[in-house]
Amino acid sequence: DAGITQSPRHKVTETGTPVTLRCHQTENHRYMYWYRQDPGHGLRLIHYSYGVKDTDKGEVSDGYSVSRSKTEDFLLTLESATSSQTSVYFCAISGGASGGVGNQPQHFGDGTRLSIL
Amino acid sequence: KNEVEQSPQNLTAQEGEFITINCSYSVGISALHWLQQHPGGGIVSLFMLSSGKKKHGRLIATINIQEKHSSLHITASHPRDSAVYICAAQTSGSRLTFGEGTQLTVNP
């Protein structure tokens, strides 16, 4: 299995509080992604990164920010959490160390279950 | 209409049956991915294909680029195959657009 660790695995917090989720990889892959998974929607891309300090928005980026200060870590931050952000969040990696865009499988972390009350 | 549509949404089979899950997409793609999500939530990449057919054990994935359609087949299904199977279209660069998934239950 690809070395991807998400933390925390579960979190319950209140509306309006800041939340940061961490994705850590040991594979030296260039691309990292944050998805959310909700019933009736499947997986949807929030943000992704194509290198250190290089990030871009996905289809559901409103209310989320990301940072990637080193290859192995990709952080997802909810500045002021809302109940609509209750979801299961998955991190994924792809691309290999050489970093070609080409067709590469994505490897997923185990997910973070986030509940915002 | 979603860019990636899967059918059926739910599928129940008896052990040993041949299973087919379908995926249609409406966008240009560089590759089509099939993933499996276990009951515990973990997601595993099964196949990535841009043409023809790929086989791994009892799993076979096919794609018809002209018809924008892909199928995932499972031969001699087993209860351990019970999972959600997800189709995803690789469109812009490395980005994926996902179908909603097919919940497969294989009964002994």
Side-chain angles (χ1 to χ4, degrees), chain A residues 14-76:
Chain A
E14 294 184 345
T15 300
T17 60
V19 177
T20 295
L21 308 183
R22 180 182 184 233
C23 178
H24 178 78
Q25 60 145 328
T26 58
E27 306 296 320
N28 200 31
H29 279 33
R30 178 182 175 190
Y31 292 88
M32 299 185 75
Y33 313 82
W34 275 108
Y35 297 100
R36 59 178 290 174
Q37 186 178 40
D38 305 287
H41 289 282
L43 287 153
R44 291 181 291 174
L45 181 65
I46 305 171
H47 283 278
Y48 68 104
S49 170
Y50 46 96
V52 173
K53 295 192 165 95
D54 291 324
T55 65
D56 205 351
K57 296 179 180 180
E59 61 185 296
V60 289
S61 59
D62 287 349
Y64 301 94
S65 62
V66 290
S67 66
R68 190 165 178 204
S69 59
K70 43 187 178 176
T71 299
E72 56 265 36
D73 288 327
F74 192 32
L75 304 181
L76 177 71

Side-chain angles (χ1 to χ4, degrees), chain B residues 18-30:
Chain B
F18 181 84
I19 288 163
T20 296
I21 299 170
N22 295 299
C23 176
S24 296
Y25 53 92
S26 57
V27 293
I29 67 167
S30 57

